[in-house]
């Protein structure tokens, strides 16, 4: 049987890297995207060791022309993407909105919203034409309600929910499925990026609780992608056991 192809954005770390491993183990061939060439090669090697055929595309998801050129370069079997995992995203800062860094805001909006939209626009028309495919957007519990200091990041993940729901409506006449996976506390490099490299501050985010891992979220994405054809996993909220929502966390279980 012909192997399916999954395209994973932001595949060089965290949830994206975990999705690359999980889908490779599950029999998919992979298109991996990321900005860091060295890390991209490392993830590509991991996937190949798990039996996947891989092509890697190095570009910044915020650069629409670069994304267009990268997707246009896909030929042969690589031009047929069965699963698009819009994972590339980040949080920057935890400032009050009226004290926020505008550059941080633009980076989050350009990555979390515009980058996701760009990849959706480039890949989904082919899925609609083939009447087959699956879009998995990595959202967040932060998209359900704002939390202190989360303002713009929460807004971008709320946008991911609305965009995902809107796409599901737009493709309802086809067999294309659309999923929003919304993780809670996941221990990756997410908080290190948010705090601009401050490891101690990042570690405190997970203090007193056993957080989720990127592998946990990759398992959910893989399950959604491999549900029976008549089953559409529309939305999944995934929290650590002692996390109730975006703000209520019992930190006596680390």
């Amino acid at each position: 049987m012909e192997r399916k192809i999954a395209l994973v954005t932001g595949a060089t770390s965290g949830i994206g890297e975990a999705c690359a491993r999980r889908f490779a183990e599950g029999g998919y061939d992979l298109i991996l995207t990321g900005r860091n060439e060295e890390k991209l090669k490392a993830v590509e090697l991991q996937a190949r060791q798990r039996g996947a055929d891989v092509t890697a595309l190095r570009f910044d998801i915020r650069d629409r022309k670069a994304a267009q050129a990268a997707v246009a370069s896909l030929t042969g079997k690589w031009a047929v993407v069965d699963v698009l995992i819009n994972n590339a995203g980040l949080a920057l800062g935890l400032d009050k909105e009226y004290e926020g860094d505008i550059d941080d805001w633009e980076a989050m909006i350009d990555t979390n919203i515009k980058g996701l939209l760009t990849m959706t626009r480039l890949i989904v028309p082919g899925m609609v034409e083939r009447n087959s495919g699956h879009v998995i957007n990595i959202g967040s519990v932060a998209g359900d309600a704002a939390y202190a200091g989360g303002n713009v990041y929460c807004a971008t993940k709320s946008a991911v929910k609305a965009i995902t729901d809107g796409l599901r409506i737009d493709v309802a006449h086809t067999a294309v499925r659309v999923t929003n996976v919304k993780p809670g506390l996941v221990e990756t490099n997410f908080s290190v990026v948010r705090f601009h490299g401050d490891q101690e501050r990042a570690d405190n985010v997970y203090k007193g609780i056993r957080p989720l891992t990127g592998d946990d979220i990759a398992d959910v994405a893989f399950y959604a992608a491999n549900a029976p054809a008549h089953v559409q996993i529309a939305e999944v909220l995934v929290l650590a056991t002692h996390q109730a929502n975006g703000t209520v966390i019992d930190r006596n279980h680390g």
Side-chain angles (χ1 to χ4, degrees):
M1 188 173 70
E2 188 173 334
R3 292 167 65 95
K4 290 185 176 182
I5 293 175
L7 190 161
V8 184
T9 69
T12 55
S13 64
I15 293 170
E17 181 180 356
C19 283
R21 288 194 301 267
R22 183 67 186 89
F23 278 74
E25 290 168 355
Y28 283 74
D29 289 334
L30 299 172
I31 301 167
L32 305 176
T33 86
R35 292 178 297 168
N36 186 305
E37 186 170 6
E38 184 177 346
K39 290 182 179 179
L40 202 54
K41 287 180 178 179
V43 179
E44 179 180 358
L45 178 60
Q46 289 181 39
R48 289 188 182 280
Q49 290 172 338
R50 287 165 171 79
D53 192 7
V54 183
T55 190
L57 302 173
R58 186 176 70 83
F59 65 94
D60 189 331
I61 199 81
R62 296 175 295 180
D63 186 336
R64 178 161 49 90
K65 290 185 178 180
Q68 290 171 327
V71 172
S73 74
L74 298 171
T75 59
K77 74 171 188 177
W78 299 113
V80 180
V81 175
D82 298 288
V83 180
L84 169 62
I85 303 176
N86 277 317
N87 162 77
L90 78 167
L92 292 170
L94 202 62
D95 301 316
K96 295 181 187 300
E97 191 169 318
Y98 60 85
E99 298 175 336
D101 185 314
I102 294 176
D103 288 337
D104 283 353
W105 293 354
E106 289 187 345
M108 287 186 282
I109 291 167
D110 289 349
T111 305
N112 301 357
I113 301 176
K114 292 182 179 179
L116 181 148
L117 283 170
T118 295
M119 294 306 296
T120 300
R121 182 64 181 86
L122 292 171
I123 299 299
V124 173
M127 293 181 174
V128 171
E129 183 179 350
R130 297 188 299 273
N131 195 36
S132 176
H134 196 150
V135 178
I136 300 175
N137 291 332
I138 305 300
S140 172
V141 64
D144 289 347
Y147 55 76
N151 42 77
V152 174
Y153 173 69
C154 293
T156 67
K157 289 303 184 178
S158 181
V160 169
K161 174 177 170 50
I163 289 165
T164 306
D165 291 346
L167 179 61
R168 194 179 304 110
I169 293 167
D170 290 340
V171 299
H173 65 291
T174 75
V176 177
R177 301 183 294 183
V178 184
T179 300
N180 184 14
V181 179
K182 305 187 301 184
L185 282 176
V186 183
E187 188 167 15
T188 62
N189 67 334
F190 175 88
S191 290
V192 176
V193 172
R194 162 167 260 172
F195 297 124
H196 299 280
D198 187 333
Q199 186 67 56
E200 183 178 357
R201 195 176 178 194
D203 289 343
N204 284 334
V205 172
Y206 312 106
K207 190 173 182 179
I209 186 172
R210 181 177 177 181
L212 302 167
T213 68
D215 291 331
D216 295 325
I217 306 308
D219 283 341
V220 174
F222 187 81
Y223 172 80
N226 290 279
H230 70 288
V231 177
Q232 180 171 216
I233 309 298
E235 186 170 287
V236 185
L237 175 64
V238 191
L239 303 174
T241 297
H242 297 287
Q243 178 180 15
N245 56 32
T247 57
V248 177
I249 301 168
D250 189 313
R251 295 187 180 275
N252 296 304
H253 306 276

